[in-house]
Amino acid sequence: MTSQQPIDQSVSASKLDTSQRGLDGLAPSAQQASDERPLREAVFAAMERYFDHLDGGTVTDLHAMVMAEVEAPLLSSVLVYTNGNQTRAAEMLGLNRGTLRKKLKHYELI
């Protein structure tokens, strides 16, 4: 696997953005449990599922792959929270506004 391949489309880390994407493919009880668990635990569980599905295969660029899966919904949710105000979003994220815009363009969020 490479950083260009998603972790697991049915249960990827990007599904943590429940406000935009929902938790498709998960039973209602799993949705509720996922919504209530801390982000750290949700990421850990997603990685466990990824390794289970890897089934002994090799993977490269795991860090880049996970960061790409998490960063896009993070940026999206912060923009929703700030009503699209990029200056406030950049401040919340601890980023320069130019860096934020570059990332938003990269993920095709603007």
Side-chain angles (χ1 to χ4, degrees), residues 45-67:
M47 293 308 303
E48 283 183 321
R49 288 189 303 270
Y50 173 73
F51 290 129
D52 287 344
H53 285 77
L54 194 59
D55 196 29
T58 59
V59 65
T60 59
D61 296 332
L62 184 60
H63 182 265
M65 182 173 52
V66 171
M67 291 301 105

Side-chain angles (χ1 to χ4, degrees), residues 8-19 21-26 35 49 69 73:
D8 178 3
Q9 288 300 319
S10 63
V11 288
S12 70
S14 66
K15 301 248 184 202
L16 297 176
D17 181 13
T18 58
S19 66
R21 300 179 192 259
L23 291 171
D24 301 332
L26 297 179
D35 289 346
R49 288 189 303 270
E69 287 288 314

Side-chain angles (χ1 to χ4, degrees):
M1 297 228 152
T2 67
S3 61
Q4 298 302 312
Q5 295 172 314
I7 292 176
D8 178 3
Q9 288 300 319
S10 63
V11 288
S12 70
S14 66
K15 301 248 184 202
L16 297 176
D17 181 13
T18 58
S19 66
Q20 299 258 329
R21 300 179 192 259
L23 291 171
D24 301 332
L26 297 179
S29 60
Q31 288 179 11
Q32 184 178 13
S34 295
D35 289 346
E36 295 174 6
R37 81 171 86 158
L39 179 60
R40 175 183 299 266
E41 291 177 16
V43 171
F44 189 83
M47 293 308 303
E48 283 183 321
R49 288 189 303 270
Y50 173 73
F51 290 129
D52 287 344
H53 285 77
L54 194 59
D55 196 29
T58 59
V59 65
T60 59
D61 296 332
L62 184 60
H63 182 265
M65 182 173 52
V66 171
M67 291 301 105
E69 287 288 314
V70 173
E71 191 170 39
L74 170 65
L75 298 175
S76 179
S77 64
V78 170
L79 277 177
V80 168
Y81 181 78
T82 62
N83 296 315
N85 185 321
Q86 294 177 14
T87 301
R88 278 190 57 214
E91 289 172 2
M92 285 181 67
L93 292 163
L95 298 174
N96 175 288
R97 188 172 178 276
T99 301
L100 173 61
R101 289 189 53 80
K102 181 179 176 181
K103 289 176 179 288
L104 294 174
K105 287 178 184 177
H106 174 77
Y107 294 111
E108 299 178 354
L109 296 172
I110 59 169

